[in-house]
Amino acid sequence: MQLPAVPGALAPSLLAVPLAFSLNAVTLLADSPLVLILTGLLLLAALFFIVFFVSGGNLFQDPFFCVFVVFSFTSIVDLIISLEEDGYISGFMEIYVTEGEPYLRTAHGIVICYWDGVIHYGLYLAMITAISHRKSYRNLGLFWLGSVTMSIVVFLLGNLIGKHSSDLSPAFLLNLPYILILIWAGTRLFQQPKALPYLSPEKVAEEQHKHLYQRPQDVGLILLLLLTAAFTFFRGMVVLDCPADSCFEYIYQHEPYLRDPVAYPKVQMLIYMFYVLPFFCLCIYGLVLPGCSWLPDWSLVFAGAVAQAQFSHVGSSLHPRTPFPYQTPEDVWWSFLLTNVLYALGPQLLAFRCLRCPAFFLPASPASLHLGKKHQ
């Protein structure tokens, strides 16, 4: 049975504005964190019922349909928060943010709300459309998985150890269900079959027998990843208070945002150093030796994660809500933007290369090569 069309499936997100206004009014009248949590849970429950009604009960053919529709609603709410905090609108979520989640008023909180309200919302639209037409959305889902995981991990850890740790209220617990949903979503996405083009064993063997010097695009990618890995290690040492003169000069003259006591930039750089840096090394390995079938999937996950992280980091560094001593100096804007854009570009180019020319990464087993005949 056909799942509902996209306009009907997005009905809950159209209710975001009136529901946000209602939540703001309830928070103002109740003045109680417990009432705030119960109201939020009731809204989520109501959303699930709306989704169930719109879909005619058919959403369980693909549980992701329900997840993406509900998350599309939260994306619009986040967009409302960011627009209100930047002064474009008023009277929707001000009381909720002030009383429930004041850390959303930081530059980092505002920027990640923009990302969620625009980029994640666009991904939800694309994936809901794919589900409705029974097409594959696995690649989009993996990119989304990396993006939302990076966003929530940095946000939660920064709230726990940063200067806003004393402002945590029971409303903070509303973020925890995301972690369980992400674990479930990641497991389900990786279990979905891949949609690969058919490639003959001869074509795969030809690609995998090419030496590195015969693949100039891969040489360029490796050089870019090496530079990115070195920059990752350097910024990790900077936030770890390395006493070297170059680290001291960098944190005070190029990226003073790394000193911001909100802790989001420090958490971000440490995640880069301990998780993204090893992945860059594995990517270089996968570009040198053929048959690393894990690389295309994980390149998408890390492409989403780095894209979200760099947008949040650059946006927060330049946002006026960041205290002036921690904002990027105007005389280094161009070098700051260039280095951070190139940093974000590397994983995107790697993911694009893996998707466009997957033959080099396919397993060497002839039997497994014919799996490419299957399409979702």
Side-chain angles (χ1 to χ4, degrees):
M1 187 176 293
Q2 184 73 18
L3 285 170
V6 175
L10 294 180
S13 64
L14 301 178
L15 299 175
V17 174
L19 287 178
F21 187 84
S22 301
L23 180 60
N24 192 63
V26 169
T27 305
L28 178 62
L29 294 175
D31 195 23
S32 170
L34 181 59
V35 173
L36 180 60
I37 290 182
L38 292 176
T39 304
L41 292 176
L42 287 174
L43 285 177
L44 289 176
L47 282 175
F48 276 102
F49 280 112
I50 292 173
V51 173
F52 186 86
F53 174 78
V54 168
S55 66
N58 296 320
L59 61 90
F60 295 106
Q61 294 180 11
D62 191 334
F64 276 113
F65 178 82
C66 179
V67 172
F68 294 151
V69 171
V70 173
F71 277 14
S72 69
F73 168 83
T74 62
S75 292
I76 297 300
V77 172
D78 282 345
L79 183 59
I80 292 172
I81 291 174
S82 57
L83 291 173
E84 186 163 29
E85 289 301 320
D86 274 343
Y88 296 108
I89 58 176
S90 62
F92 289 92
M93 298 294 293
E94 181 179 1
I95 303 300
Y96 169 80
V97 172
T98 303
E99 301 296 331
E101 299 191 78
Y103 31 82
L104 287 174
R105 309 193 74 177
T106 62
H108 182 85
I110 295 171
V111 173
I112 65 171
C113 284
Y114 275 122
W115 181 270
D116 190 42
V118 178
I119 303 301
H120 286 167
Y121 187 71
L123 290 172
Y124 296 139
L125 288 180
M127 291 187 287
I128 289 171
T129 302
I131 293 174
S132 299
H133 293 87
R134 300 193 178 279
K135 296 182 180 295
S136 174
Y137 57 92
R138 188 176 188 272
N139 291 339
L140 287 174
L142 291 175
F143 185 91
W144 162 81
L145 178 67
S147 176
V148 73
T149 300
M150 180 67 82
S151 177
I152 196 66
V153 169
V154 173
F155 184 62
L156 293 181
L157 291 178
N159 292 338
L160 289 173
I161 68 174
K163 72 175 184 179
H164 289 284
S165 58
S166 59
D167 298 330
L168 296 182
S169 70
F172 179 76
L173 299 176
L174 292 174
N175 294 289
L176 299 182
Y178 279 90
I179 298 177
L180 298 177
I181 294 176
L182 287 177
I183 294 173
W184 169 84
T187 303
R188 291 291 297 262
L189 284 170
F190 275 100
Q191 288 176 347
Q192 290 184 0
K194 297 182 181 180
L196 295 175
Y198 171 70
L199 294 169
S200 66
E202 293 78 13
K203 175 64 176 177
V204 174
E206 178 186 354
E207 288 295 321
Q208 296 191 354
H209 279 84
K210 287 182 179 179
H211 296 287
L212 185 59
Y213 65 83
Q214 296 174 303
R215 296 180 280 122
Q217 293 179 342
D218 289 350
V219 173
L221 262 178
I222 290 174
L223 292 176
L224 181 58
L225 290 174
L226 284 172
L227 291 174
T228 306
F231 190 50
T232 301
F233 180 77
F234 174 72
R235 287 204 293 189
M237 297 304 294
V238 167
V239 298
L240 289 175
D241 297 327
C242 175
D245 292 341
S246 57
C247 294
F248 181 84
E249 178 185 355
Y250 186 83
I251 200 170
Y252 278 92
Q253 297 184 16
H254 293 274
E255 287 199 53
Y257 179 60
L258 297 176
R259 298 187 292 115
D260 195 327
V262 292
Y264 302 120
K266 185 171 185 177
V267 170
Q268 185 66 77
M269 295 306 118
L270 292 178
I271 290 177
Y272 275 165
M273 186 176 186
F274 293 111
Y275 294 95
V276 178
L277 176 58
F279 178 74
F280 285 154
C281 298
L282 290 174
C283 290
I284 295 172
Y285 172 85
L287 287 170
V288 173
L289 296 178
C292 295
S293 58
W294 49 267
L295 185 54
D297 286 349
W298 284 103
S299 67
L300 281 168
V301 174
F302 276 81
V306 174
Q308 190 281 329
Q310 285 300 104
F311 178 83
S312 301
H313 180 69
V314 172
S316 301
S317 300
L318 303 176
H319 197 279
R321 190 65 64 90
T322 297
F324 181 76
Y326 307 121
Q327 292 182 19
T328 302
E330 292 187 11
D331 58 340
V332 297
W333 269 16
W334 289 112
S335 61
F336 168 77
L337 289 174
L338 179 62
T339 54
N340 280 279
V341 168
L342 287 176
Y343 190 97
L345 186 62
Q348 316 309 314
L349 293 176
L350 175 64
F352 180 75
R353 185 262 182 271
C354 293
L355 293 177
R356 185 176 179 83
C357 304
F360 186 78
F361 308 104
L362 291 177
S365 170
S368 62
L369 297 179
H370 291 283
L371 292 176
K373 295 180 180 180
K374 296 184 178 180
H375 293 266
Q376 272 181 279

